[in-house]
Amino acid sequence: MAIKNQVQLITYPDSMGGDLKTLNQMLNKHFSDIFEGGIHILPPFPSSGDRGFAPLTYLEIEPSFGTWDEIREIGEKFDVLLDLMVNHISRQSPYFQDFLAKGRDSQYADLFLTLDKVWEDGEPVQADIDQMFLRRPQPYSTFQTGKDGREEKVWTTFGKTDPSEQIDLDIQSPLTRRLFEEFFENFKKQNVKIVRLDAVGYVIKKLGTSCFFVEPEIYKFLDWVKELADSYDIELLPEVHAHYSTQFKLAEHGCWIYDFILPYRVLEALINRSSAELNQYLKIRPHKQFTMLDCHDGIPVKPDLDDLIDTTEARKLVDVCLERGSNLSLILSDEHKAADGFDVHQIRCSYYSVLNHDDDAYMAARAIQFFAPGIPQVYYVGLLAGENDMERVQETGEGREINRHNYTVEEIEQALEKEVVQRLLKLIRFRNSYDAFNGEFRVLDSPDDEIRLQWHKGEKSCELTINLQTYRSVIKYADDLNHTVEYIV
């Protein structure tokens, strides 16, 4: 299938009304002509943690969200994108529970990366661990397995608990490959059009490396998954937070990639009222990308923007974000912090709040996103111009909950009455329907306090001009009669 060059929505299965059935009703009632590009439904599977990102299986839907019937129904009108956490699966999954009960006698034992697959004697070596890009203090968990209670150390890249809820899969194992084949076969059956390979950068574990995006092995794995997805006519979107050069390599490899650099560059341009860095980036970035400003995590900083940002300037920008209520996710490994100690992994906030609830600044941000080449995705909180949810952060102690508010139907209806939301919906309709966005893109010369972007195809052309002093955004475009129309965003 071809991915449509139109705007997509990102939402949790229960964030727009409480379940998949209500989500479908909301889509049909309010957004049927808005998200023609597709719907990314964040993990709707049974899960034991990380808001869906520790799935027990991909063959079932969490009953409180609904059933596969609702996914298939949404998929009849919108291209559905679902996640596959290729790196790990839940500790509560039937596969790992069987391993805990039977140890090495379990039929699923080879799914998992026991440490003897990494170190010959199964004992971790700290010098090797020190080189790794860690997401928790140590990359393994210890379990008692089988009737004899044999101790097993198993690789666990992620997880806030010890032992972790997220157990790494051994992607070299034929057993794991067969499991992935089963998952893709089911996705096809359930009308899923795009699969995001979540945490794919961590799948290769190789001593003497960071164990993150290990080349060339990572490409062999991606090629295998792509062949599998192609056989079911499913598109793939690898999710990799890494040095920007890694994204560019993935693009050269023919993959769709995420533009994890754009959210920071847009924020920087609007807060510092300078287009210099943004313009420079827009001129060199690959075009085959999914663009976003906000998501269920945060605005990426390190390692995505390593060697692109001055850490002194970045600290100033981060301080502004903190003043506006944001919180931070930090890098754990000393080796992967900046030389001056700068350690911000992500800035967590609602994008509307971090722009100080300024409607014009927010619309300027969305206009830049929609003009940047690629497939734009709008996160549901951003769609509704939602603000930082400080109560949820205090309730849960989880910083990411700041941008994960669950909307009732009433709250959605109220948000739709806001002028800024109506302006955003109008802009999405323009982006979806104006044919010049299928043509040639140019960054036009402009003063430092202005942004000028242009699309051109045949007789259709549109040009965005943003005044960074006032945040006034204007699109000039040729209509069907070839008259120039001025549209104030």
Side-chain angles (χ1 to χ4, degrees), residues 63-82:
S64 63
F65 299 153
T67 67
W68 280 114
D69 292 345
E70 281 91 28
I71 299 280
R72 283 198 306 276
E73 201 175 319
I74 293 170
E76 281 166 23
K77 185 153 190 181
F78 308 93
D79 288 349
V80 169
L81 188 164
L82 291 185

Side-chain angles (χ1 to χ4, degrees), residues 111-123:
L111 279 177
F112 309 108
L113 205 63
T114 49
L115 292 200
D116 57 303
K117 291 182 177 181
V118 183
W119 287 279
E120 216 168 295
D121 61 359
E123 283 306 312

